[in-house]
Amino acid sequence: MSALSFPSLAIAHGANPSSLPAFSSPPFTTAILKRPPTFHTADHGARPARASAGEATPAPAPAVAVENSDSEDSTLFVIRARNRIGLLQVITRVFGVLGLRIDRASVEFEGEFFVKRFFVTDSRGNRIDDEESLERIRSALMEAIDGDGDVAVGPATRGVVVRKRLGLGMESAERRAKVERMFEMMDRFLKNDPISLQKDILNHVEYTVARSRFNFDDFEAYQGLSHSVRDRLIERWHDTQLYFKRKDPKRIYFLSLEYLMGRSLSNSIINLGIRDECAEALSQLGFEFEVLAEQEGDAALGNGGLARLSACQIDSLATMDYPAWGYGLRYQYGLFRQVILDGYQHEQPDYWLNFGNPWEIERVHVTYPVKFYGAVEEEDFNGVEAVAYDNPIPGYGTRNTITLRLWAAKPSDLHDMESYNTGDYINAVVNRQKAETISSVLYPDDRSYQGKELRLKQQYFFVSASIQDIIRRFKDSHDNFDVLPEKVALQLNDTHPSLAIAEVMRILVDEENFEWNRAWDIVCKIFSFTTHTVVSEGLEKIPIDLLGSLLPRHLEIIYEINFNFVEELKKRIGLDYDRLSRMSIIEEGAVKVLLKHHDLVNCYLLVVMVGTFDGDAVDFYELWPQKFQYKTNGVTQRRWIVVSNPSLCALISKWLGTEAWIRNVDLLTGLREHAADTNLQQEWKMVRKVNKMRLAEYIEAMSGVKVSLDAMFDVQIKRIHEYKRQLLNILGIIHRYDCIKNMKESDRRKVVPRVCILGGKAAPGYEAAKKIIKLCHAVAEKINDDSDVGDLLKLVFIPDYNVSVAELVIPGADLSQHVSTAGLEASGTGSMKFLMNGCLLLATADGSTVEISEEIGAENMFLFGAKVHEVPALHEKEPDAKVNLQFARVVRMVRDGYFGFQDYFKSLCDEVEDNDFYLLGSDFGSYLEAQAAADKAFVDQEKWTRMSILSTAGSGRFSSDRTIEEYADKTWGIEPCRCPF
């Protein structure tokens, strides 16, 4: 027996092991792997040691023992296992990922086996005594070193799976040498130390970007860094997919037409655990990480909360180790760029791909035909092909990296060949342009028939390609469709992917030759659907004639589904034709339409509600309550605290004594016991002031308006819509301005200064929303130029609001408004982002704010307005009902042209005075009272700061990690599948 030992890694190598990157090769690897001659490696643990000639001794099972008696200041882990290349690196990496330090270690070799002793402390240098923690560490080590049946893991650091073959020892020496060589070359990951990162960045600058490494700018440095980070993602990504394939778990496929991913660089680096290393590498090259991060454009493949929710849920799926795939469309033009000229919104194309996208990998070999038009009896289809673009999505604190696959459209080779064969080059080009249109624009204007057709084409193109890919992957490993529900779960994010149901039925019945009932039974077991709207105009309807023209076979299938459903309904409720009509998939009328949300509910699949039930849903719920689940949406704390608010992230970790809250966000409740601590409050206020300084600098650079840091930053940023009531906010600002103008000078000194910040985009065809934006600018021009008001009130509109802007605005906000009319907001995740960052909420009891008030207490919010149950009576009030005088005055100011554009704003005034469907007048008095309460609280900075701390402390319930865990357990029936280190 021979042994190697070293007293202290930190002393021996001049670095604290806890500061090493989680997945870098430890500096002592080479020394350890200088093995005595008796240490055999040729078969990587596949060959048992021999006790004597012709007699094999069974290999001992891998074991991890914990001993706390040998040392008072550290915990001893004793590991015995068969050795293989890279295993020592794996073990030390496990300790690093778990946040543990190795004080000293020793290794003893016995032939092909070893006994390794590691003396370990926690991140603060203390011995580990907690039994639960010890068991978790032991389990992680066992998972890393343990073999698995007939599968051997090649180099442990890469997780490459190699099947043992019978008679491996009889293979030729040449073959064994090749395998050995491959393992040696792949024995380690790319290193994450600053020098290695610098080399990779410079190599990508020179060989990928094709710029001289001696002369490149910030954008080229960003590209070099991004490709270097992507290389590291790909290593984990490949290993994760190989591990999923080997384990064959049930997978969740997440189908969403919208993803607001924002920027990927910062999020990827933080999830990889190499933020500091990258910053140091860049600093030595003369660049700043923050400057390079700003070079990245937003991937704006969505339109608000639904799309950002999809991005948060994908992040949580990766972090929580669920076997998942995301599917969407690779829009050539994302959500339009909003340009404000003279206060009016103008839309410009978002050429987000003009400068390339280093985070995607084009899979030219992954294509599927998608067919349109034709007739059921014929095979004469006008088709396109879907090409896959894969985006790796890393989890935090885990090796798992999952896939977001986006589809782009191109013409089928058949049509190209036909055109070229006839010499019609122009027609071939036209065909390509027509095909590419399908994935070119997010949310085509569907006010025209052509727009509706393009929208339907987009939805079916996305669905068809995704379902073909899912079924292809299933068939690669299984030959029996009856087990499909045991291996596949499909989550439909809102109604956009609802054609997936008819598509799966078409494939099972037409291509796999299933009998209808057998196919239907499978379909009803694999789908779940989440609805994100309670506003009737947000529910999709498809004209039947359009569907019949574009997808005739699918219409036939939908008619059959509806017939069977209505027949069953008759058995349950009799001939109640009104109710039968309400619940039917097909809505009869002047134009017959398909109700997509009914299509989803009728399929007996699980329906997840994030808001209150509307009238239609109640009909279904009364018959099948077991099909309905309610879940609270969530957002990821990695993006909305760790990435966007690093100062707050560091402060939270300091006071909680751990960074574990980044994965286990429930630990934030520990801040409650410190909320009254004056030291925390001082540090908390300093963090908030720094964030306000960043926001104030952005406002001045963007608008030229200089704002006071002593003012309350009052923010409302979200899609512009009448039910979200930005108009209520603006009318409240007018009232505040009017009051200040009419005050005595002595009274003005008592006014709490406000900086009111609005931002959001109006849909191109939404005239009322566009007028609200113009009114905001007209009011801002009047207020900001008024010397009587000065710093007491400023109004700023932030143009082209997106994820990156939100990451700047949300940490700097003191007060955030979520003032939708009660009963019209399904959930709303914006409030959760502000809550996590310690911003106080001024809100109606609508959507998620109801649950937030339950969690943090209504006393820590500013609630106002009618409740859901009061809204119907307010809608039925008499025309001559008493009107709030303050509300009447501010509307009259707008109507009389006080802010100019009298004729342009007339329709807005008419709407709120004559109809007031969104109850601005009814809630105005209560709204002003809530604003006054916010002013009073802001004056008492100790109280305000305590409320702010309690807001963050209570935000754990609103993490997307919790949402995904509930989905996995109660809806999808999937379990984590953690790729070993």
Side-chain angles (χ1 to χ4, degrees), residues 170 414 494 804 858 943:
M170 302 299 292
L414 175 63
D494 217 73
S804 298
K943 176 182 178 181

Side-chain angles (χ1 to χ4, degrees), residues 17 50 55 221 289 317 328 343 423 525 586 627 649 659 681 707 724 754 811 828 913 980:
R50 299 281 182 181
E55 179 181 337
F289 173 77
L317 282 166
K525 292 177 181 176
I586 309 300
K627 288 167 51 177
C649 174
E659 292 183 347
Q681 288 190 5
V707 299
K724 293 181 182 290
R754 288 267 186 128
E913 286 187 333

Side-chain angles (χ1 to χ4, degrees), residues 365-376:
H365 61 288
V366 182
T367 62
Y368 297 98
V370 180
K371 300 175 181 178
F372 298 102
Y373 303 112
V376 175

Side-chain angles (χ1 to χ4, degrees), residues 444-458:
D445 189 346
D446 60 359
R447 288 175 292 178
S448 66
Y449 183 90
Q450 291 78 11
K452 286 183 171 64
E453 182 181 49
L454 177 55
R455 184 71 174 147
L456 183 57
K457 277 186 175 181
Q458 277 189 345

